[in-house]
Amino acid sequence: MERNLHAYSLIKTLFILIALATAACHREVALPPLPLSNITLTDKFFDVWPTSPTRAFVVGDRGKVLLTEDGGRHFKRIDIGTQLGVFAIQMADDQNGYLCGQDGLVMRTRDGGKSWERLNSRTNLFIFGLSFPDALHGFFVGDRALVLSTTNGGESFTKRQLQRLFPQELSDYALPYEEPVLYSASFLDVDHGWVVGELGRIWATENGGKSWQEQQQPLVAQWKRPLGPGDDARFADFILPTLFSVSFRDQKHGAACGLEGWVVQTDDGGKTWQFAHQSDKPGAAPDTLVPGAAQIPARDPLFSIDLFAGDQGITTGLTGTVLRLQPNGAWAHDPSVPAIPFPLSQVRFFDAQHGWIVGYGTILYTEDGGKTWRQCQG
Amino acid sequence: MTWYRFGEWILRWRFIVLAVVGVLTAFFGYFAAQTQLVTSFGELLPQNHPFIKVAHKYDQYFGSVNNVTIMIEVKEGTIYTPAIIGKIVQMTRDMDLVYGIQHGSVRSVATSSYFRPLAGGVILNTPVLPNGDIPKTAGELEELESNVHKNPGVIFGRFVSLDDKAAVIEGSFLETRLDYTRIFDEIRRIVVEPERDASVHIYYGGQPILYGWVYHYTPEFLWIFVATVLAVWMLLYLYFSDWRGALRPTISGVICAIWGLGFIRLLGFGLDPLVLVIPFLITARAVSHSVQMHDRYYEEFYRLRDKERAILSSFSELFVPSLSGILADAFGVLIILLVPVLFLQRLAITASFWIAAIIVSELILNPIVYYYLDPPRIDVIERREHGWFKRLLQSIAKPMLERSGRIATFAATIVVIALCAFFWTGLKVGDPSSESPILWPNSPYNRSMAAIQSEFGAIEQFVVVAELGRRDSLNDPKLYHVMDEYERYMERDPAVGRTFSVADLLSNGGSALREFQPKWNVLPTTTRGTGQLLGGLLAGASPLSTAYIITPRRDATQMTVYSKDREGENVQRIVLRTQRFFDDPRHHVPGVTFSLAAGIIGELAAANQEIIDNDLLLNVLAFATIYIIILITYRSFMAGLYLLFPLALANAAINAFMGAHNIGININTLPVVTVGVGFGIDYSIYIVSRIIEGLALGGDLKGSTYTALITSGKAVAFTALTLVASVLFWYWSSIRFDAEMGLLLAVWMFVSMLGAMTILPVLIVTFDPAFIRREKERAVASRRPDLESHTLAAFS
């Protein structure tokens, strides 16, 4: 009996040892919840719209809409119910705002950005830019020369294609120049606005979009690039660089930027446009580059431009390029912006001091007029 | 009685036995002389595992594990100087000359191209370095830098570091032409050394380089072997005070090594330098059995004063314990056959044969060798019997078997079990840290890998293959959205540095084809849009040049997750997250099967999973095998439990040791750990058999146990300590893995010995098991009075 008890104890000990070993060895690896960061390196931010010195909306790829109310120290993600890319946003006032994006995406908020409703844009084309001079009147521009306008806050849209109509005999040759992409719009009031796009197109309206005039013609004379063997002289004004962004500070003064790092400016409401010069650093003499001349190295394209605070101007582009408008009219590389080798899609200032730059994986904020910039971490 | 007759038979037919063993030894020796050091990473992998099947199916295109990465880093400035760009171009060209390179797989900034938009809608697909020309002027260098920066993720950050101070050249090697030594040598001689100068650091890593370093260090093994043999000889001589004591175990070890090595070559296998500790271990087992036999022969000779009778007596008494110990070891190792890993299955066959060869080299040859050797001098035996080692054992054994000693031993055992359980929890499956555990942390290889990781984030690939069941699946936009969502999901895991898939190229391509406007950098949502972008991406490129993203047959594409390291838990987590992601119905794409997984992380995951699946089973089966052999030996169900207790303790201790020392269970350590699972059982068998013998000669249980401890136990303790001392030389090895495995096995043998010398005799004295009494009766019945002219007391 006693021997059986001993044997039982021994067996029990062995089992405990084996159980301990098994429990210790065969553990399931833990799957902790993944950290959810609002700003990651793989984010692509396309636009920013400040509504106060410290409050701003940022939009980007995969339906991302972020809101900060403390100058970019914290961001809150707003679920807009889509994964489509959001290309542009504008708050017309405290409560009413609009955004646009991929596949004809147009949305509206009536509660200061808390919730967004999708509007029927009646198109699947990409809509790249928008401009609302007030809560009811607005314009959207996009692929294939698309212009959508609304006069009732998005309840209905008027759709049109803003493109040159070629004579019948040129139609076969004009195919590459038809339906250029329109990237940006700038409306100062319900009547006056400008739209820019592919192949250097600049269109202006003085009657709320009822009629449009092409304005890029003065630039053609300045553009000295000779026609190539395959170029058709009848379309010589279509070899201008694509313009990606336009900004007007008043009805006279405006600027647009685009491919090969070109900035074009007007001081007469667009009757005449001129290519601007660049300088290596602030205070340096402007370059003497002839517009259209081959550049080595090729300059980065510029994607956004903002004229603000009376006499200030800033533009951003590929590989972290940031240029500031100088008193002498040239655009100089801004050394105060951190070196970020990624595309910077949009720059916007709320006032003379507070401004934002957004791009791939990047949100920058300044509260001293651009002397220093802070990288927001989300 | 039977074994006595068998001993007599061997002596009578010694010429024939010698001739047969001699011929067989010559036969195996012929093959052993052709032994080659061969290692193959592929053979370490479970070939039937679904991950490995996927990896093999696509390794020509995606996630080859035989990648080499060379990084050139400038000491001052950036890479954008004519001299440094010249080096990168030259290294890229030279890489293509290395033996076994998969032509077309060599990639660097020198082979990259980008889309260049011009005013008027013209887009040029331009090589970053047109015609491979090296930029010379400041303007050309600035243009190159600008071109690199325009392509984040594709060139910038992938082939050029984000601080512009380093660039990498990558290439894959063909599985069928993997000659690690030659690849390692040619990469150093042709690619690296000609470009190395005061202006740059050059680092190189990858699986072929790792194994190249292992081969590079193998000449050290010779010195370690010589030092070990000398040390063992010295210890044997000190123990026996007699050159025969050193010679006899050496003969045993050498013969079984010849048989073992010859058998390996005979089957067409090679000796893996990473598991060289296993032959050492087996040879040490042969030496251990031999010491036991030699010790007993001296004891019997002292008792009987007759060489032939001493030979037969020691042979007959030790034949059963020795045989069952050897068989337990051999069958325990043979169990590894169940693991579906080619390397382990080969190891199971060769190692179990090698162990079984000890039966010949030790048991069969033993009576003959002693027959031809002069008998030892009596004063030499007496000196051995009264040395400090025996006195030490006597002073420990006596109090340990008393009641208080037994309680203390039980208490100590419980403490040890608790400690083992505690440290065992630290044991990890896979590599426990970021550096390769094969080499020391400060080795050139690990320093190179750390430098590459610090500049480029992560380079260890985990590849998920999207197998396209339908022709139109490739144009399905949902496929790319799921791929993109997977990448973004995985990038949130801290072990993941970055990800890459054709979805990135597709959205980047949208932007590049539209003058780099960022707003075009989105994934299309229509079949038409997807087809257009895909066409832009693939048009004009040869199917082979785009095979790293889409197979030439257009039937599969891939997503690559770059892990920061190979840590077991990280590997397991990456796999689990991936499986859960693709199990979610929201991520199902019609006609597409997402298959895991190629790349080094996928293959390690398969191996780790196989280890987890088989580890417990292997241990249970190995223990069961040993249990059955003990059951047959002692004809008792309880005997196995008593004898397995120290072995279980040793296994627990070894797992705890690995947990405490950050040594993971992985494809390299598993063979060593599994082969060793039954080693040490002979210690217990020798002691228990000697206790039974003592009882048969009329002793009481406590007295017989005491005698067993200071006779058989002495040999057990000596061989264990000899092994511990000899493996210390492994710590000179530049191969960290061998050093750690040597230490591990030393700990293993030492704990086995401690268990057999402490808790086992205490258990027996305390519980007085019935099988001991039954075996005693059998031993009494088979006694030969003519061999008992002296009493056992002479030795107590």
Side-chain angles (χ1 to χ4, degrees):
Chain A
M1 184 66 188
E2 193 185 348
R3 186 164 290 163
N4 283 344
L5 198 66
H6 288 160
Y8 174 73
S9 310
L10 184 63
I11 291 166
K12 208 163 74 171
T13 313
L14 251 182
F15 271 108
I16 289 168
L17 195 61
I18 290 168
L20 269 174
T22 310
C25 187
H26 296 275
R27 284 174 298 144
E28 269 287 301
V29 69
L31 273 188
L34 289 170
L36 193 60
S37 175
N38 284 318
I39 303 170
T40 67
L41 258 185
T42 51
D43 273 320
K44 286 171 270 190
F45 295 115
F46 297 132
D47 199 6
V48 56
W49 189 268
T51 59
S52 79
T54 56
R55 187 171 185 269
F57 289 90
V58 176
V59 296
D61 193 16
R62 306 178 192 99
K64 202 164 213 180
V65 177
L66 302 178
L67 170 65
T68 178
E69 299 187 294
D70 56 4
R73 296 196 188 280
H74 299 91
F75 284 86
K76 185 174 75 178
R77 181 163 185 172
I78 297 169
D79 182 8
I80 61 166
T82 179
Q83 289 291 308
L84 293 171
V86 182
F87 297 143
I89 185 170
Q90 183 183 342
M91 295 301 290
D93 54 38
D94 284 349
Q95 297 302 313
N96 297 287
Y98 300 84
L99 59 78
C100 61
Q102 194 178 0
D103 293 350
L105 177 73
V106 173
M107 298 185 91
R108 173 177 72 187
T109 179
R110 292 274 175 85
D111 56 8
K114 289 190 189 74
S115 63
W116 293 80
E117 59 173 316
R118 187 159 184 175
L119 304 176
N120 183 3
S121 65
R122 297 189 294 125
T123 179
N124 285 322
L125 296 173
F126 284 20
I127 300 175
F128 293 114
L130 79 169
S131 183
F132 272 74
D134 63 34
L136 296 176
H137 296 81
F139 293 82
F140 297 85
V141 295
D143 194 15
R144 301 182 72 176
L146 174 75
V147 175
L148 289 178
S149 58
T150 181
T151 55
N152 50 17
E155 294 299 325
S156 63
F157 291 98
T158 303
K159 185 162 77 174
R160 68 170 297 169
Q161 277 190 305
L162 200 56
Q163 61 171 334
R164 185 181 297 180
L165 296 174
F166 295 97
Q168 185 64 35
E169 66 271 20
L170 287 180
S171 59
D172 286 349
Y173 308 98
L175 218 56
Y177 310 108
E178 289 178 343
E179 300 179 341
V181 183
L182 300 177
Y183 284 113
S184 176
S186 177
F187 275 77
L188 296 170
D189 54 46
V190 294
D191 291 324
H192 297 88
W194 289 262
V195 168
V196 297
E198 216 175 10
L199 307 170
R201 303 298 89 188
I202 305 174
W203 295 86
T205 181
E206 293 179 341
N207 52 18
K210 290 187 182 70
S211 63
W212 295 83
Q213 293 81 43
E214 287 188 70
Q215 287 194 336
Q216 75 281 342
Q217 212 54 36
L219 293 172
V220 178
Q222 299 165 46
W223 188 252
K224 301 300 184 190
R225 183 164 300 171
L227 291 175
D231 291 334
D232 189 331
R234 292 171 294 183
F235 304 102
D237 64 331
F238 279 86
I239 59 169
L240 290 171
T242 290
L243 297 172
F244 292 122
S245 178
V246 61
S247 173
F248 270 76
R249 71 172 98 245
D250 54 43
Q251 286 191 17
K252 296 285 183 196
H253 301 91
C257 64
L259 205 60
E260 298 182 22
W262 289 110
V263 175
V264 294
Q265 298 173 162
T266 180
D267 294 325
D268 54 11
K271 289 188 181 67
T272 57
W273 288 85
Q274 288 199 321
F275 284 99
H277 288 276
Q278 292 187 14
S279 50
D280 286 339
K281 55 187 178 185
D287 63 30
T288 54
L289 200 64
V290 177
Q295 309 153 44
I296 293 181
R299 291 191 311 209
D300 283 347
L302 298 170
F303 301 128
S304 76
I305 193 162
D306 190 24
L307 302 182
F308 63 100
D311 59 350
Q312 300 289 308
I314 187 167
T315 176
T316 63
L318 195 69
T319 70
T321 304
V322 178
L323 309 176
R324 286 297 289 262
L325 179 59
Q326 302 300 302
N328 61 6
W331 293 77
H333 284 272
D334 188 349
S336 59
V337 180
I340 296 163
F342 300 122
L344 298 177
S345 319
Q346 189 61 260
V347 54
R348 280 193 208 280
F349 271 75
F350 177 76
D351 55 27
Q353 299 302 315
H354 301 89
W356 300 81
I357 294 175
V358 298
Y360 285 11
T362 306
I363 299 177
L364 299 171
Y365 174 65
T366 180
E367 45 195 1
D368 56 9
K371 291 190 185 70
T372 58
W373 294 85
R374 174 160 50 79
Q375 183 117 30
C376 303
Q377 304 296 330
Chain B
M1 203 70 160
T2 313
W3 304 120
Y4 189 88
R5 295 277 177 235
F6 184 49
E8 285 180 327
W9 182 90
I10 290 173
L11 286 182
R12 192 176 316 125
W13 299 102
R14 59 187 176 279
F15 294 116
I16 294 172
V17 173
L18 271 180
V20 171
V21 172
V23 167
L24 284 173
T25 305
F27 173 75
F28 285 120
Y30 170 75
F31 288 101
Q34 301 167 37
T35 300
Q36 289 179 333
L37 288 179
V38 177
T39 194
S40 168
F41 180 72
E43 289 178 5
L44 289 166
L45 302 170
Q47 299 299 323
N48 289 327
H49 193 285
F51 288 13
I52 303 298
K53 285 181 179 169
V54 169
H56 282 327
K57 191 172 172 187
Y58 295 104
D59 65 0
Q60 194 182 348
Y61 308 119
F62 310 146
S64 167
V65 294
N66 302 313
N67 287 331
V68 167
T69 304
I70 302 176
M71 182 178 85
I72 179 165
E73 183 186 37
V74 293
K75 292 179 182 171
E76 301 284 340
T78 69
I79 62 163
Y80 304 110
T81 67
I84 302 299
I85 297 298
K87 284 177 187 294
I88 296 168
V89 170
Q90 194 57 44
M91 289 169 81
T92 306
R93 288 177 186 157
D94 292 342
M95 185 85 159
D96 211 36
L97 303 176
V98 176
Y99 174 79
I101 192 78
Q102 192 169 328
H103 297 291
S105 72
V106 181
R107 296 164 63 79
S108 75
V109 66
T111 65
S112 304
S113 60
Y114 74 107
F115 290 110
R116 180 178 180 179
L118 299 175
V122 179
I123 293 172
L124 301 176
N125 188 358
T126 318
V128 172
L129 293 173
N131 307 318
D133 292 339
I134 297 154
K136 291 181 179 63
T137 64
E140 288 169 348
L141 288 163
E142 210 175 310
E143 186 182 10
L144 169 66
E145 181 177 354
S146 166
N147 293 341
V148 168
H149 289 180
K150 280 172 191 156
N151 292 276
V154 183
I155 302 174
F156 192 40
R158 177 155 158 72
F159 295 120
V160 176
S161 65
L162 292 176
D163 61 4
D164 291 319
K165 294 181 85 66
V168 290
I169 299 107
E170 295 176 350
S172 299
F173 286 84
L174 295 165
E175 181 79 31
T176 49
R177 299 175 76 183
L178 274 180
D179 181 338
Y180 293 123
T181 307
R182 189 167 169 189
I183 291 169
F184 178 72
D185 173 60
E186 289 191 1
I187 281 179
R188 297 205 323 166
R189 191 165 44 80
I190 299 174
V191 186
V192 173
E193 292 309 327
E195 305 304 329
R196 200 191 284 280
D197 60 29
S199 66
V200 292
H201 295 293
I202 300 180
Y203 303 98
Y204 45 108
Q207 203 71 7
I209 299 294
L210 175 63
Y211 282 104
W213 278 112
V214 169
Y215 280 103
H216 181 76
Y217 293 131
T218 47
E220 291 178 359
F221 292 162
L222 180 66
W223 300 110
I224 292 170
F225 176 74
V226 170
T228 305
V229 169
L230 287 176
V232 171
W233 260 72
M234 204 166 71
L235 287 168
L236 285 169
Y237 185 82
L238 286 174
Y239 180 76
F240 288 111
S241 305
D242 183 3
W243 62 270
R244 294 175 196 80
L247 177 68
R248 178 67 198 92
T250 308
I251 292 172
S252 190
V254 167
I255 290 176
C256 87
I258 290 171
W259 281 49
L261 288 171
F263 186 70
I264 289 172
R265 188 65 197 150
L266 185 65
L267 296 183
F269 306 155
L271 202 57
D272 192 325
L274 286 180
V275 291
L276 269 184
V277 283
I278 291 177
F280 264 69
L281 183 70
I282 298 172
T283 308
R285 305 308 308 138
V287 170
S288 169
H289 287 293
S290 195
V291 166
Q292 196 69 240
M293 183 66 87
H294 200 74
D295 206 55
R296 186 59 183 266
Y297 166 62
Y298 276 23
E299 191 183 316
E300 295 299 321
F301 183 79
Y302 187 83
R303 189 163 63 85
L304 301 168
R305 308 291 167 108
D306 180 298
K307 188 171 88 174
E308 196 167 329
R309 283 165 65 204
I311 291 170
L312 294 173
S313 176
S314 54
F315 178 81
S316 63
E317 293 295 350
L318 285 190
F319 189 86
V320 170
S322 294
L323 184 68
S324 61
I326 293 166
L327 289 178
D329 283 348
F331 283 109
V333 169
L334 201 59
I335 291 297
I336 308 174
L337 259 179
L338 295 173
V339 185
V341 174
L342 187 60
F343 176 81
L344 290 179
Q345 290 172 333
R346 287 181 179 179
L347 186 71
I349 295 167
T350 53
S352 55
F353 177 85
W354 194 328
I355 295 166
I358 301 174
I359 296 171
V360 176
S361 71
E362 172 55 31
L363 286 178
I364 306 295
L365 277 186
N366 202 48
I368 303 172
V369 173
Y370 288 137
Y371 184 84
Y372 285 110
L373 286 177
D374 286 339
R377 293 204 322 266
I378 295 299
D379 64 309
V380 168
I381 299 175
E382 282 177 340
R383 197 158 58 236
R384 182 182 64 89
E385 284 303 323
H386 298 102
W388 64 269
F389 193 57
K390 182 154 187 173
R391 285 201 300 276
L392 178 71
L393 282 177
Q394 284 170 330
S395 64
I396 294 170
K398 212 168 190 75
M400 186 181 77
L401 296 177
E402 298 303 325
R403 182 181 162 76
S404 57
R406 297 205 303 269
I407 291 169
T409 307
F410 277 126
T413 305
I414 289 165
V415 170
V416 168
I417 290 171
L419 284 174
C420 288
F422 175 74
F423 285 112
W424 198 335
T425 55
L427 182 66
K428 289 175 180 168
V429 173
D431 295 347
S433 60
S434 56
E435 75 262 6
S436 167
I438 304 282
L439 300 172
W440 294 104
N442 63 351
S443 65
Y445 179 83
N446 274 329
R447 278 191 280 124
S448 274
M449 290 304 282
I452 296 171
Q453 301 268 21
S454 76
E455 281 291 346
F456 287 88
I459 57 172
E460 311 285 8
Q461 297 183 16
F462 175 77
V463 178
V464 178
V465 180
E467 298 183 293
L468 311 172
R470 295 203 314 239
R471 193 86 186 145
D472 59 351
S473 298
L474 201 58
N475 288 339
D476 186 344
K478 190 181 179 191
L479 170 64
Y480 303 98
H481 283 270
V482 169
M483 290 166 88
D484 181 66
E485 201 178 326
Y486 170 68
E487 288 180 67
R488 306 292 86 85
Y489 170 70
M490 292 306 291
E491 278 168 0
R492 289 159 58 194
D493 191 289
V496 175
R498 58 196 165 101
T499 60
F500 172 76
S501 82
V502 68
D504 301 324
L505 294 181
L506 213 58
S507 54
N508 267 337
S511 169
L513 290 169
R514 295 294 191 141
E515 303 167 324
F516 289 114
Q517 164 59 252
K519 291 175 183 176
W520 284 103
N521 196 334
V522 290
L523 283 173
T525 56
T526 61
T527 305
R528 187 162 167 264
T530 307
Q532 280 175 346
L533 282 180
L534 212 53
L537 199 66
L538 303 176
S542 75
L544 273 180
S545 70
T546 53
Y548 71 104
I549 45 169
I550 297 174
T551 55
R553 291 166 58 93
R554 307 288 189 245
D555 57 1
T557 180
Q558 55 100 352
M559 291 147 275
T560 303
V561 171
Y562 290 89
S563 171
K564 290 174 183 167
D565 54 46
R566 301 177 178 189
E567 279 190 38
E569 284 193 9
N570 290 343
V571 170
Q572 213 179 335
R573 209 172 54 245
I574 286 171
V575 171
L576 266 179
R577 287 204 195 284
T578 302
Q579 285 170 334
R580 287 193 186 178
F581 181 88
F582 288 111
D583 283 345
D584 187 332
R586 287 175 301 171
H587 302 136
H588 289 178
V589 181
V592 178
T593 309
F594 293 100
S595 303
L596 280 61
I600 184 73
I601 296 295
E603 300 198 357
L604 287 177
N608 292 349
Q609 210 169 64
E610 207 63 53
I611 289 167
I612 292 168
D613 290 350
N614 288 290
D615 185 35
L616 186 63
L617 178 73
L618 272 183
N619 277 288
V620 168
L621 287 179
F623 273 79
T625 307
I626 297 164
Y627 179 85
I628 290 167
I629 290 169
I630 296 167
L631 179 73
I632 295 166
T633 307
Y634 294 112
R635 286 153 283 200
S636 158
F637 290 105
M638 284 305 292
L641 295 181
Y642 277 92
L643 272 75
L644 282 179
F645 194 87
L647 205 62
L649 201 61
N651 276 272
I654 217 63
N655 283 298
F657 180 83
M658 289 175 76
H661 283 78
N662 222 16
I663 302 171
I665 295 261
N666 57 36
I667 47 176
N668 298 115
T669 56
L670 183 73
V672 182
V673 174
T674 317
V675 164
V677 74
F679 285 6
I681 188 66
D682 55 317
Y683 295 160
S684 301
I685 293 175
Y686 281 129
I687 286 171
V688 168
S689 295
R690 193 59 191 256
I691 292 170
I692 294 165
E693 259 184 68
L695 289 171
L697 289 172
D700 63 354
L701 183 60
K702 195 189 286 183
S704 301
T705 306
Y706 172 73
T707 306
L709 285 176
I710 61 167
T711 52
S712 290
K714 182 164 63 91
V716 162
F718 170 73
T719 49
L721 292 174
T722 304
L723 186 62
V724 171
S726 62
V727 294
L728 287 179
F729 295 101
W730 279 101
Y731 242 80
W732 291 343
S733 173
S734 299
I735 301 175
R736 174 191 181 182
F737 175 77
D738 284 330
E740 286 186 339
M741 288 303 102
L743 182 63
L744 193 74
L745 293 171
V747 172
W748 199 321
M749 292 297 109
F750 187 74
V751 177
S752 277
M753 179 271 286
L754 271 187
M757 294 282 287
T758 55
I759 187 66
L760 177 66
V762 166
L763 281 172
I764 288 172
V765 169
T766 306
F767 298 129
D768 188 9
F771 80 91
I772 296 263
R773 299 280 170 196
R774 279 201 305 276
E775 285 301 308
K776 177 204 122 185
E777 298 306 327
R778 287 198 185 92
V780 169
S782 62
R783 259 166 43 190
R784 274 180 64 106
D786 59 316
L787 296 178
E788 291 166 15
S789 55
H790 291 68
T791 63
L792 192 72
F795 280 90
S796 35

